[in-house]
Amino acid sequence: MEVTGSTKSDGQALLPKGDAMESIKKKFIISAMVISNFIAWTSLSLMDPFFPIEAKKKGLGETLIGLIYSSSELVIFLVSPLFGILISTASPRFFYITGILIIGSTTILFGTLDMSSPGLPFIVTCFAVRMIEATGVSSLISSSFLIASQNYPDNIGSIYGIFETAVGLGFMAGPAIGGGLYQLGGFGLPFWVLGGCTFACGVVSWILLPSKHYGQECSDSECPSRWTIFRSPWVLFGSFVTICAYTAALMWMPVLSLHLKEFDLSQVVIGLLYTITPGMYAITTPLWGYLIDWKVPPTFLIIVGLILTSICSLLFGPAPFLPFLPHGMVTIIVALVLMGLCLAPVIVSSIKCLVEGAGSLGFDVKGANFGIVGGVVQSSVCLGTLLGPLFGGLLTERFGFAWMMVAAAIIALFPLIFGGPFLLYAASDRCKSTDDKKKYDKLNGVINNNIAMTTYQ
């Protein structure tokens, strides 16, 4: 009896260890993906402070510079749904590791483009390398979203907040590192250093990341069609908010270094200025994800965040029709800080709306088809990050920086202007549902009391 009791006790003691080991594995997987996303986005953003200057030397205008910036987002927008479908039926690990290796290789290659001849050869090679790199980014972010969401299905907001922190920190560190290395060793050094780190990260992930099948298979009758996801108004609204918010918040990105020429700043300082908005975004996204998981209404955060983003854009210009707004470095820094703080709740909330809308149609977090949701999320993000730099370069070249930021302020309000009727309907429908529930509970209570009194009598 004593031996049996000891064995049972030992067996029970092993269960918590197994749970603890599984928890450790999940944390390792998430940590590895956070680091990989950070390094990848650092590589993608490191050219912000110096590429426009080098491109000007090669004879490119602001519009072409904006197109080169936006080309990667265009590719991600187009191929992310495809990767979402493929990842749902294949191994996310393969797409994850392949994506990192492609990013590392193309980043190293981009460091040699200053050797291209000015004009058309430089333009073509920039577009080609940037688009191939974007394919790797799409593969990485789509697979990361699927693996992370299925490891933590009940904390989508928090997990997405953590990943957005990695992305924001990457965008923050990239320009600072790029500007410093550019000043230290010229055009190629930033790409070679960061590309090498990204490639090494891919090799380490290939060795250490465990092979695992993600997603539960389902029959054709149980799995909704990939196009069914767009039947949800919340999916459409979340996508539209994401697109408009990123477009408005990133229009300054390709032209800020040219706008700052009047202040005679070094490349290091310009690089640091590029880190402010991503830094504020990265710091606050986990907080907003946590609050949303704790039932803070995402629509409220979207409305307030978009209004404040519009105000920040007018301050950033500053708007020509608001002559009382000061123009100087202090105004620019304040606007960059507020832009990151206002963007974070909007993006996390819109993704939450999108995911919940897809879930109501049968796109379960643990299901085999959830990769499609990740593809839609990334397509929405990348369409916004495509249109932002593209419109920014185009409008700045035509109308100047100040009026370009006025356009950004208007774009930030598009979801409220065009989605206002939907929000009012959703709010009234929710209130109606709440009132009906209260009336039902009250009626049910009266009935139960009558039954109890009758039984007692």
Side-chain angles (χ1 to χ4, degrees):
M1 292 294 293
E2 293 179 358
V3 173
T4 304
S6 174
T7 304
K8 183 178 179 181
S9 177
D10 291 343
Q12 290 175 339
L14 287 174
L15 291 178
K17 291 182 180 179
D19 292 341
M21 184 60 67
E22 184 67 22
S23 176
I24 292 172
K25 287 181 180 179
K26 288 183 178 181
K27 290 178 180 178
F28 169 76
I29 292 171
I30 296 300
S31 300
M33 291 183 176
V34 168
I35 294 171
S36 298
N37 276 268
F38 168 75
I39 295 177
W41 286 103
T42 301
S43 301
L44 200 65
S45 64
L46 61 87
M47 71 180 197
D48 290 350
F50 61 87
F51 180 76
I53 298 172
E54 289 290 329
K56 279 283 187 180
K57 297 177 183 178
K58 298 287 186 178
L60 276 66
E62 284 86 352
T63 302
L64 266 177
I65 294 172
L67 285 171
I68 292 173
Y69 270 91
S70 302
S71 61
S72 58
E73 279 73 23
L74 174 62
V75 173
I76 297 173
F77 165 70
L78 293 175
V79 303
S80 285
L82 174 61
F83 277 125
I85 296 169
L86 294 175
I87 290 169
S88 296
T89 58
S91 169
R93 179 179 180 271
F94 169 78
F95 288 95
Y96 172 77
I97 295 171
T98 302
I100 300 175
L101 296 177
I102 291 175
I103 295 169
S105 304
T106 50
T107 302
I108 294 172
L109 183 60
F110 205 95
T112 64
L113 297 188
D114 62 325
M115 303 176 189
S116 300
S117 302
L120 187 61
F122 180 76
I123 295 171
V124 171
T125 50
C126 282
F127 274 113
V129 176
R130 190 81 170 163
M131 288 180 171
I132 296 172
E133 182 181 33
T135 305
V137 173
S138 178
S139 180
L140 171 66
I141 56 184
S142 297
S143 56
S144 297
F145 186 82
L146 175 62
I147 295 172
S149 62
Q150 293 188 344
N151 274 282
Y152 294 93
D154 298 325
N155 304 100
I156 295 294
S158 300
I159 291 299
Y160 191 81
I162 293 172
F163 272 91
E164 284 299 292
T165 297
V167 173
L169 290 175
F171 271 116
M172 179 182 71
I177 294 173
L181 292 176
Y182 173 79
Q183 195 162 343
L184 182 65
F187 182 85
L189 186 61
F191 297 101
W192 299 333
V193 172
L194 268 298
C197 291
T198 306
F199 195 88
C201 188
V203 174
V204 172
S205 298
W206 175 62
I207 296 171
L208 298 180
L209 191 67
S211 299
K212 180 181 177 182
H213 176 73
Y214 293 92
Q216 300 171 349
E217 297 296 335
C218 55
S219 63
D220 292 338
S221 59
E222 295 174 340
C223 283
S225 166
R226 63 181 67 107
W227 300 111
T228 304
I229 191 172
F230 296 108
R231 294 180 182 175
S232 169
W234 284 109
V235 170
L236 298 175
F237 177 72
S239 298
F240 187 56
V241 170
T242 303
I243 293 167
C244 292
Y246 269 114
T247 299
L250 297 181
M251 287 175 66
W252 56 269
M253 188 74 73
V255 294
L256 180 63
S257 58
L258 301 174
H259 178 65
L260 295 173
K261 273 189 173 182
E262 62 179 291
F263 299 102
D264 195 26
L265 303 174
S266 67
Q267 288 300 316
V268 175
V269 175
I270 293 176
L272 290 174
L273 289 174
Y274 270 91
T275 68
I276 294 176
T277 296
M280 295 297 101
Y281 179 82
I283 292 170
T284 56
T285 43
L287 171 64
W288 296 117
Y290 177 81
L291 291 176
I292 291 171
D293 283 340
W294 278 90
K295 309 306 180 185
V296 175
T299 49
F300 171 75
L301 296 178
I302 288 172
I303 293 170
V304 174
L306 288 175
I307 293 173
L308 293 178
T309 300
S310 180
I311 295 173
C312 291
S313 299
L314 296 177
L315 176 66
F316 200 170
F321 52 82
L322 299 176
F324 56 87
L325 292 177
H327 173 66
M329 282 303 303
V330 175
T331 303
I332 291 173
I333 293 172
V334 170
L336 289 171
V337 170
L338 295 177
M339 191 73 74
L341 294 176
C342 298
L343 179 65
V346 175
I347 297 302
V348 178
S349 300
S350 63
I351 299 303
K352 181 71 172 179
C353 291
L354 196 157
V355 171
E356 289 188 347
S360 67
L361 297 176
F363 290 85
D364 184 27
V365 175
K366 295 181 179 180
N369 56 10
F370 195 71
I372 298 172
V373 181
V376 174
V377 169
Q378 297 307 327
S379 289
S380 303
V381 170
C382 291
L383 181 57
T385 54
L386 180 157
L387 296 176
L390 177 61
F391 288 166
L394 183 64
L395 293 175
T396 301
E397 192 171 27
R398 299 293 190 279
F399 306 105
F401 186 85
W403 283 108
M404 181 271 292
M405 293 308 301
V406 172
I410 297 173
I411 292 173
L413 298 177
F414 275 3
L416 304 184
I417 297 171
F418 298 105
F422 167 70
L423 289 176
L424 291 174
Y425 172 77
S428 62
D429 186 60
R430 182 172 298 179
C431 291
K432 182 180 178 181
S433 299
T434 303
D435 291 340
D436 290 343
K437 184 178 184 302
K438 288 180 179 178
K439 291 178 182 178
Y440 171 80
D441 290 341
K442 184 177 179 180
L443 179 62
N444 191 42
V446 171
I447 293 173
N448 289 336
N449 288 336
N450 291 337
I451 292 173
M453 291 175 64
T454 304
T455 304
Y456 177 76
Q457 293 173 354

